[in-house]
Amino acid sequence: MSNQVLQRVVWVGLASFFTACTYLTPYKLPIQQGNIIESESLPKLKSGMSKNQAAQVLGTPLLNDIFHANRWDYVHYLNKRGRMSEQKHVTLIFEEEKLVRLVGEGVPALAPMAAPDASATAVPAAAPTLDAAAVPKPEPSPGPDKE
């Protein structure tokens, strides 16, 4: 009897071991797809930026639809252990080659671009005008000699 009991214990032990192994899964690397959208870079976008300036801040867009040339889509997915853990989608809308709107969840409002510094582009004060009496009048040029 002890031999049958030992066999049953071994079989129960093996069965429980193999069923426990189904809960163990191999390590899966985190997979990032798309543009990494950093929260620090979004406030750097300003209303009125050109497409080149926006691309310098966020990089080139993942999706650039030829039917919507004034719309850039930045998409980012992060899968950890086979499950979607992070998903971001930011859309930049341009009008006349200038950034006018950001669309997305948790996206800050666009700040207007800073106006150029007034001292750097200030027009110099008008030069003093000369008094009309101080300006010499041109002398008539001598014509051909008539005899």
Side-chain angles (χ1 to χ4, degrees):
M1 275 274 221
S2 70
N3 195 14
Q4 283 184 337
V5 173
L6 183 61
Q7 281 183 344
R8 286 184 181 171
V9 169
V10 168
W11 283 112
V12 170
L14 284 174
S16 64
F17 173 74
F18 286 120
T19 57
C21 288
T22 59
Y23 296 111
L24 300 176
T25 58
Y27 177 73
K28 293 182 181 180
L29 292 172
I31 299 172
Q32 292 189 22
Q33 296 179 336
N35 300 85
I36 297 176
I37 304 167
E38 296 177 1
S39 57
E40 298 87 31
S41 61
L42 290 175
K44 293 179 184 176
L45 293 171
K46 306 289 182 201
S47 179
M49 283 182 132
S50 68
K51 288 184 176 183
N52 288 336
Q53 291 171 328
Q56 287 177 353
V57 173
L58 288 181
T60 56
L62 178 67
L63 302 173
N64 197 354
D65 189 359
I66 60 170
F67 297 110
H68 302 100
N70 292 329
R71 174 185 170 138
W72 285 3
D73 291 299
Y74 291 85
V75 182
H76 178 250
Y77 297 105
L78 178 61
N79 293 334
K80 289 185 179 178
R81 297 185 178 175
R83 295 185 183 136
M84 181 81 64
S85 65
E86 185 177 323
Q87 178 179 357
K88 290 184 183 178
H89 186 171
V90 176
T91 303
L92 276 63
I93 307 292
F94 295 90
E95 287 180 8
E96 298 177 3
E97 302 296 317
K98 300 292 180 188
L99 181 63
V100 293
R101 191 171 66 223
L102 284 178
V103 179
E105 192 172 314
V107 176
L110 277 177
M113 283 188 77
D117 189 11
S119 63
T121 60
V123 177
T129 57
L130 296 175
D131 187 16
V135 177
K137 294 192 181 200
E139 294 180 17
S141 60
D145 289 337
K146 291 186 179 178
E147 293 183 22

